[in-house]
Amino acid sequence: METKTKLTAEEFFKLYPEESRVELIDGEVYEMPAPEFIHQEIIARIFIPLRLYTEEKGMGKVVLSPVDVVLDEETVVQPDLVYLSDRSKIKKKIYGIPDIVVEVVSASSLKRDVQDKKKLYEAFGVKEYWLIFPLERNIMVYELTQKGYELFSYATEKGRVRSKVLEGFELDAEEIFGGL
């Protein structure tokens, strides 16, 4: 019986070049396809207002993927977008738990984003998890509670979603999905 060896984050970084689209979860490597145009456009439409808001308020840092986020010795992820209130976690990579993680869900990432990564981020204590569904034009914002993730804010095509972590920050769904 062959036993598969799990990698540590240190071994992972030695094996995969910086520009690799791979993640390490529980010591196992997962390849990720390059994102499609609509995915990147949606992330840009979230990143710009979020970055402007946090800079205006002097609050933390918003970072776009691809960037490695080292959660522990065996877990390195590349979320689409992260917000960190603690800038000291940012080195060449991000070391520690982001306050907010945003993932744009595609057909190839549906199970990983909606089930696997949601459980992963919940277990690591990410305070807020955003799931964006381009085809359905849905935005779901989950907040971490004592019971786990609970839906905090939601919009489909129209309406606004808001952040619990960044009090006062809101996005209009029409501005995110309009023209796509």
Side-chain angles (χ1 to χ4, degrees):
M1 183 171 170
E2 188 177 326
T3 306
K4 186 175 180 181
T5 304
K6 291 188 175 194
L7 297 176
T8 65
E10 186 178 327
E11 293 165 332
F12 173 75
F13 291 131
K14 287 179 184 174
L15 288 172
Y16 294 93
E18 284 183 30
E19 63 276 1
S20 298
R21 298 271 307 148
V22 291
E23 294 181 317
L24 181 71
I25 299 175
D26 193 27
E28 294 187 32
V29 177
Y30 293 88
E31 291 185 24
M32 301 181 315
E36 293 181 358
F37 171 81
I38 192 169
H39 177 281
Q40 295 303 91
E41 183 65 22
I42 288 171
I43 283 299
R45 291 178 184 192
I46 295 169
F47 173 76
I48 293 168
L50 186 55
R51 182 167 182 164
L52 290 173
Y53 182 85
T54 56
E55 285 180 353
E56 178 184 302
K57 303 283 184 185
M59 306 169 75
K61 190 76 175 160
V62 181
V63 183
L64 278 170
S65 186
V67 64
D68 290 320
V69 178
V70 182
L71 299 176
D72 72 7
E73 276 287 312
E74 294 185 329
T75 310
V76 180
V77 292
Q78 289 186 358
D80 292 324
L81 187 147
V82 297
Y83 165 74
L84 299 118
S85 60
D86 181 358
R87 291 174 183 245
S88 71
K89 294 178 181 179
I90 303 170
K91 312 289 186 224
K92 286 185 177 181
K93 302 171 187 328
I94 295 171
Y95 291 89
I97 313 305
D99 297 272
I100 299 174
V101 169
V102 177
E103 295 281 9
V104 176
V105 181
S106 64
S108 65
S109 72
L110 182 65
K111 181 187 177 297
R112 286 196 59 216
D113 290 338
V114 174
Q115 292 178 8
D116 303 340
K117 282 191 171 180
K118 187 177 175 191
K119 286 178 190 171
L120 179 78
Y121 296 139
E122 186 178 70
F124 275 98
V126 173
K127 295 175 189 170
E128 197 167 284
Y129 185 43
W130 291 46
L131 285 169
I132 316 296
F133 297 87
L135 296 177
E136 297 82 0
R137 296 178 178 261
N138 289 343
I139 304 171
M140 302 175 86
V141 178
Y142 291 91
E143 72 167 312
L144 188 60
T145 70
Q146 290 181 334
K147 298 177 190 173
Y149 279 135
E150 292 185 3
L151 190 60
F152 174 73
S153 186
Y154 176 86
T156 301
E157 291 190 39
K158 296 182 180 185
R160 300 182 73 75
V161 291
R162 57 193 172 94
S163 172
K164 174 87 173 193
V165 169
L166 294 171
E167 204 170 309
F169 179 74
E170 295 185 348
L171 283 176
D172 187 304
E174 286 182 285
E175 291 175 16
I176 302 302
F177 301 117
L180 297 176

